[in-house]
Amino acid sequence: QVQLVESGGGLVQAGGSLRLSCAASRSAISRYAMGWFRQAPGKEREFVAAISRSYGSTYYANSLKGRFTISRDNAENTVYLQMNSLKPEDTAVYYCAAKPSPVGSRYYTGRNDYDYWGQGTQVTVSS
């Protein structure tokens, strides 16, 4: 089973950028559809972005389109989340997740769709 470790979080001023990484071990991410979620204090974990196992199909939460970009590098066994024009409301713990998936362009947006999760990385955006 795959293990996921997020990194790249930190403190950034509003308007700044961060790139989160999700490094996988024990299994190749090329076998998985991948996603990013976030959870702010006192709120439920919410969907951020997803990418299919094959063909690079992506999907984003409506409120984040145009600011966040998900990508994957199967050779590096890593998934990325590029976050631009950050806002204080983006402050949250960000989690990556993996779902074993057949070859294809399907992506997944539900928390319960995913089987494996990382421990999360904190992103704090100051105003």
Side-chain angles (χ1 to χ4, degrees):
Q1 81 187 37
V2 67
Q3 278 194 330
L4 304 171
V5 178
E6 301 94 335
S7 62
L11 174 64
V12 63
Q13 288 189 333
S17 298
L18 283 175
R19 188 176 80 155
L20 305 183
S21 299
C22 173
S25 61
R26 296 193 177 181
S27 184
I29 64 164
S30 58
R31 300 168 58 186
Y32 300 86
M34 304 294 294
W36 284 96
F37 290 75
R38 68 184 184 184
Q39 187 166 16
K43 295 187 177 181
E44 292 190 352
R45 192 170 299 188
E46 64 175 1
F47 169 75
V48 172
I51 188 166
S52 60
R53 172 181 173 178
S54 314
Y55 311 123
S57 295
T58 59
Y59 189 79
Y60 299 90
N62 283 337
S63 62
L64 302 176
K65 287 179 182 177
R67 295 195 298 124
F68 287 17
T69 303
I70 187 172
S71 62
R72 64 190 301 156
D73 186 336
N74 289 344
E76 293 294 326
N77 223 26
T78 301
V79 175
Y80 302 98
L81 184 69
Q82 177 67 43
M83 306 186 296
N84 299 327
S85 303
L86 283 163
K87 304 175 182 180
E89 52 264 42
D90 294 319
T91 295
V93 178
Y94 284 71
Y95 299 90
C96 73
K99 175 180 174 60
S101 179
V103 171
S105 59
R106 184 174 179 181
Y107 44 75
Y108 301 88
T109 62
R111 286 176 298 174
N112 294 333
D113 290 332
Y114 290 88
D115 300 278
Y116 305 102
W117 293 83
Q119 83 293 344
T121 185
Q122 176 71 47
V123 171
T124 303
V125 184
S126 63
S127 57

